[in-house]
Amino acid sequence: MSYGQGGPPSQWDPWKPQSQQPWSSGGGSGSGQSPDWAALADASETRHKRRRLLFIGGGAIATVAIGTAVAVAVVSANGSNQASDPSSQLPATTDLPSITGTVPSFAPTSAPPPLDPKDFVSSAQKDRAPLGPDVLFPGTQLTMGDTVYKKGPTADTRNCASAAKATLPKVLTDNGCSRLLRVTYTKDDIAVTVGVAVFDTEAQAAKAKQQADAKSIIKSLAGGGVKEFCDGAVCRSTTNAYGRYAYFTLSGFTAAKNVTEKDKAVFATGNDLAEFTFRQIRRRGEAQASAAAEE
């Protein structure tokens, strides 16, 4: 059989158009040649595998390319050319903000010290509030605990010695007493007179208290329904001082009988009135200190 213009027939490629299928030479002279179907199937399968491999490989390359583009985009968005290692993207420890934040600071301030109430009753210059028997001892009665004392007569004199007895007049005069206030309270058959001596300074009052002795007593104050007491009878007396004030008590029976150590009620009455006098002088200082603090 002739092959045309010389040379072997062209190789048949099922994927190329107009290519010639090869024919086997197994037949006799003058008979037609049948194609080798098994060889054709093997060739077709080989080409299919090659195309799949190319397709898969191309997809992997595309995936790598996309991944690279994303990585580059992330780095570019961060404005950094550092490697894509996540740990390299974290700020240094010193760059992290403090969890507790910055504690605000304030300029140091100091509040003025509180005013001492005693300062306002320790000198005539600062103790300027009104003063009188009814100022220190207001009302018509006094309650101390469960005991109620009825207020009696009051007195106010600039001649301190005239309201004192025995050794007290000299003590008051020598230390510059400028005023002596008195008030009497009663409870049943017991009466007590309180005397408050006023000085210019705390030092004068303290010295008067120191110089007073067992015979330094004030005169009892009767009147206004209160009978004479402690006039010739033995009575109980006390002496104390606070600020520029020295204060005294004289307690006894209105029945003109002597006070003994067994008469606890007389002692309690004198102690109650001495305590109340101290509180009133201190309150006087507190009121003036409070007023001065508000100015």
Side-chain angles (χ1 to χ4, degrees):
M1 181 174 180
S2 173
Y3 289 99
Q5 298 298 322
S10 63
Q11 184 69 32
W12 175 69
D13 188 346
W15 304 103
K16 294 182 182 181
Q18 300 178 357
S19 62
Q20 300 292 328
Q21 293 185 2
W23 301 96
S24 70
S25 57
S29 172
S31 64
Q33 296 180 352
S34 62
D36 188 350
W37 299 110
L40 291 175
D42 291 341
S44 178
E45 180 64 23
T46 299
R47 289 178 175 80
H48 276 293
K49 288 182 179 180
R50 189 190 318 158
R51 289 176 60 84
R52 276 201 304 272
L53 291 174
L54 289 174
F55 180 78
I56 293 173
I61 294 173
T63 302
V64 173
I66 293 174
T68 304
V70 171
V72 172
V74 170
V75 172
S76 298
N78 290 336
S80 173
N81 292 325
Q82 295 178 357
S84 59
D85 182 1
S87 62
S88 66
Q89 304 300 319
L90 296 177
T93 304
T94 55
D95 297 334
L96 295 175
S98 173
I99 296 176
T100 57
T102 303
V103 178
S105 59
F106 301 94
T109 59
S110 59
L115 299 176
D116 186 356
K118 190 177 181 182
D119 288 344
F120 290 84
V121 292
S122 294
S123 67
Q125 287 75 18
K126 298 188 71 172
D127 188 10
R128 310 297 295 177
L131 179 63
D134 292 325
V135 174
L136 280 181
F137 306 98
T140 60
Q141 65 181 29
L142 166 65
T143 301
M144 294 291 288
D146 297 330
T147 306
V148 178
Y149 299 99
K150 183 180 178 181
K151 183 180 176 182
T154 61
D156 185 0
T157 180
R158 300 283 178 175
N159 183 1
C160 298
S162 66
K165 295 175 64 175
T167 59
L168 186 56
K170 184 178 187 312
V171 171
L172 297 178
T173 301
D174 289 348
N175 289 288
C177 177
S178 60
R179 191 174 180 182
L180 183 59
L181 315 175
R182 287 184 295 165
V183 61
T184 295
Y185 287 89
T186 61
K187 170 72 167 110
D188 300 329
D189 63 341
I190 299 174
V192 55
T193 294
V194 180
V196 180
V198 184
F199 300 87
D200 287 342
T201 66
E202 180 181 13
Q204 290 173 314
K207 190 174 181 181
K209 173 191 172 182
Q210 181 182 8
Q211 293 177 351
D213 56 25
K215 296 180 180 180
S216 298
I217 58 176
I218 59 171
K219 287 183 179 180
S220 61
L221 181 63
V226 179
K227 298 179 180 181
E228 293 287 343
F229 65 100
C230 295
D231 187 10
V234 176
C235 289
R236 192 240 183 174
S237 65
T238 65
T239 301
N240 216 322
Y242 183 80
R244 69 186 187 111
Y245 301 91
Y247 53 97
F248 311 86
T249 67
L250 183 67
S251 308
F253 292 106
T254 56
K257 67 176 183 178
N258 294 332
V259 175
T260 68
E261 293 182 357
K262 296 180 181 180
D263 297 316
K264 304 301 182 182
V266 176
F267 283 77
T269 299
N271 291 341
D272 282 349
L273 268 297
E275 175 66 20
F276 180 72
T277 302
F278 163 73
R279 292 181 185 179
Q280 288 299 95
I281 298 173
R282 185 179 62 184
R283 286 170 184 161
R284 176 179 175 85
E286 292 172 348
Q288 294 182 88
S290 177
E294 295 177 357
E295 293 178 355

